[in-house]
Amino acid sequence: MRFGRKGKLSTRYVRPYEILHRVGEVAYELALPAELDFVHPIFHVFMLKKCLGDPASILPVEGLGVDEIFFYEEVPVDILDRQVKRLRNKEIATVKVLWKNILVEGATW
């Protein structure tokens, strides 16, 4: 049973938690919140996943135009490139779109 839920589709990793200290060679004690007090706070290394948080990847919410229910609408700004993919029997035209509030590297086909 994972974090109070049964079944193979239950969440495997919940969220990042602070490591309080190392217990033995391969176990760590985590600072779990009050709603997870039924879970033992000491975990083996294979049950933990490294959290690679990058502060530069966090965008401020003020400039994005997010409404009160945190809905974000992506608006296309420009078409950067066009290409035609040839399959066996047909051709598919695709375009590379630049979106509002996204850098050029984030443009999608």
Side-chain angles (χ1 to χ4, degrees), residues 2-104:
R2 293 184 188 135
F3 300 104
R5 294 189 180 134
K6 292 183 180 181
K8 66 180 181 179
L9 296 179
S10 63
T11 56
R12 188 171 180 102
Y13 297 104
V14 181
R15 68 179 81 122
Y17 293 109
E18 179 184 1
I19 295 176
L20 296 177
H21 65 278
R22 186 175 179 177
V23 179
E25 292 290 318
V26 291
Y28 290 92
E29 183 175 359
L30 302 180
L32 297 176
E35 61 263 12
L36 291 177
D37 59 353
F38 60 91
V39 177
H40 196 272
I42 297 176
F43 292 88
H44 193 271
V45 177
F46 79 87
M47 296 176 72
L48 301 175
K49 186 176 181 180
K50 187 175 183 179
C51 176
L52 300 174
D54 184 16
S57 66
I58 299 173
L59 297 174
V61 178
E62 292 82 27
L64 292 178
V66 178
D67 62 5
E68 58 274 351
I69 59 169
F70 297 107
F71 178 75
Y72 178 74
E73 182 177 350
E74 292 184 341
V75 179
V77 175
D78 193 14
I79 295 176
L80 300 177
D81 194 10
R82 298 171 192 267
Q83 71 180 11
V84 176
K85 289 186 178 184
R86 296 177 189 232
L87 301 177
R88 290 184 182 174
N89 297 330
K90 59 182 173 180
E91 296 179 349
I92 300 175
T94 57
V95 293
K96 190 171 188 178
V97 178
L98 176 66
W99 300 96
K100 184 179 177 183
N101 297 327
I102 305 268
L103 299 176
V104 176

